[in-house]
Amino acid sequence: MADPVPVSELPTLSLLYKLNRINPADGSEPAYTPNAIFNDKISVIKQDITTLSIDSIVNAANNTLLGGGGVDGAIHRAAGPDLYDECETLNGCETGSAKITDGYELPAKKVIHAVGPIYWSTKREGKHTSLLSGCYRKSLELAVENGLKSIAFSALSTGVYGYPSGEASEVALNTVRTFFEEGKADGLERVVFCNFLQKDEDAYFKNLPKYFPPVSNAEPSEQPTETSTDVKDLATKLPDPPAADPKHPDEPDTKKQKTDSSDDDFVVVDKEEVKEAEAASKSA
């Protein structure tokens, strides 16, 4: 298993702007005013979420909460069979909501299992946006209720559930920003958008300036000013992106772990898995 990545090594949005890793919106008006404090709490990375040493990670779960493909399967494998056992006691979870468990063998203390919507079916009903937003809001609420200081989101519903990365990133960013504006995230020190695929990171980089715009150099900040040397030092600590589907060397017994570790889970819609997900959704 890869070495755990601590929160302290994750670049903040403020740093990404300083390093010109994210460019301000091209002539478009931001939806919110710049806020240095908020930008210091946001991180966007391309990383295997199972390696993060953080208070909580958000799993892209299905209605059963018993494991699946992609990120869901990777998290269950890395956490070990005890995660499956605890999930069995939760009686599933409704789409658009989330439930919390311990992290077990993961470097993360807690796992928040959020069940995102299947895009094409929920869009027909006009519920896709509210259901995806509900996943992010409920996850944030669970983190705050449990006294957690940091939370990392996987790109919910953008895999086999078919939610376009651009639309999904806007829902996530708007929900988090609204939560901040409501003053409900004061206890949170870091909110991380952790992407496995380039398409998801690209979507966040494109839409971040709309919801968390950069702060003008002339605008005072409560944070100490970093020298150019500080910025260069921090830049060298940016985590390397994952090169392959996250794996765990000690996979639990198959009766304890019902996952599909196909390499295509992140990019190709598996019709059988989608049928299972839709059936689970209807029975939940």
Side-chain angles (χ1 to χ4, degrees):
M1 185 174 180
D3 292 336
V5 180
V7 175
S8 60
E9 291 188 7
L10 303 182
T12 65
L13 181 54
S14 297
L15 176 59
L16 292 175
Y17 279 134
K18 288 182 180 180
L19 296 174
N20 295 317
R21 298 292 180 89
I22 300 179
N23 296 317
D26 298 331
S28 58
E29 190 69 22
Y32 295 91
T33 57
N35 188 304
I37 295 175
F38 291 175
N39 288 359
D40 286 337
K41 289 187 175 187
I42 296 292
S43 290
V44 182
I45 58 172
K46 186 180 175 188
Q47 183 75 20
D48 176 354
I49 199 169
T50 67
T51 66
L52 297 185
S53 182
I54 195 168
D55 282 359
S56 60
I57 61 173
V58 180
N59 179 24
N62 58 42
N63 293 102
T64 69
L65 303 184
L66 300 181
V71 170
D72 189 12
I75 288 174
H76 269 268
R77 287 192 296 273
D82 288 337
L83 178 61
Y84 182 94
D85 289 341
E86 183 174 359
C87 285
E88 269 195 315
T89 69
L90 299 181
N91 299 315
C93 181
E94 295 181 355
T95 300
S97 189
K99 293 186 178 181
I100 191 169
T101 65
D102 283 334
Y104 297 101
E105 296 177 29
L106 287 161
K109 296 177 183 178
K110 297 287 184 179
V111 179
I112 297 172
H113 306 265
V115 183
I118 298 172
Y119 183 72
W120 48 87
S121 60
T122 56
K123 185 176 182 180
R124 288 196 298 266
E125 302 170 352
K127 298 179 179 179
H128 58 300
T129 301
S130 61
L131 288 172
L132 185 59
S133 179
C135 289
Y136 284 93
R137 175 168 283 273
K138 182 61 176 179
S139 297
L140 291 166
E141 290 173 348
L142 286 171
V144 172
E145 289 169 8
N146 286 271
L148 306 178
K149 299 295 185 182
S150 53
I151 181 171
F153 288 98
S154 55
L156 303 177
S157 280
T158 60
V160 295
Y161 283 11
Y163 216 113
S165 297
E167 289 184 39
S169 67
E170 292 213 57
V171 172
L173 290 167
N174 190 46
T175 304
V176 171
R177 180 64 193 241
T178 300
F179 198 77
F180 279 18
E181 293 287 345
E182 293 169 350
K184 296 179 179 179
D186 292 347
L188 288 173
E189 296 175 357
R190 192 69 65 90
V191 175
V192 182
F193 297 105
C194 184
N195 305 292
F196 184 78
L197 291 182
Q198 189 64 49
K199 69 181 180 71
D200 296 318
E201 184 181 57
D202 289 345
Y204 276 104
F205 277 25
K206 177 182 177 181
N207 292 316
L208 269 162
K210 179 178 178 180
Y211 299 95
F212 292 91
V215 177
S216 169
N217 291 332
E219 187 172 332
S221 171
E222 295 183 12
Q223 302 298 322
T225 302
E226 294 164 337
T227 66
S228 59
T229 302
D230 294 331
V231 172
K232 289 178 181 178
D233 289 344
L234 287 170
T236 63
K237 297 180 180 179
L238 297 182
D240 294 328
D245 191 344
K247 301 291 183 182
H248 191 277
D250 301 315
E251 294 189 10
D253 192 300
T254 52
K255 73 177 181 178
K256 290 279 191 177
Q257 176 56 48
K258 302 175 182 178
T259 62
D260 177 3
S261 57
S262 169
D263 291 337
D264 293 331
D265 281 332
F266 287 101
V267 293
V268 178
V269 175
D270 186 321
K271 293 181 180 179
E272 292 303 317
E273 187 171 343
V274 170
K275 288 180 181 178
E276 292 177 6
E278 289 177 328
S281 178
K282 291 177 182 178
S283 63

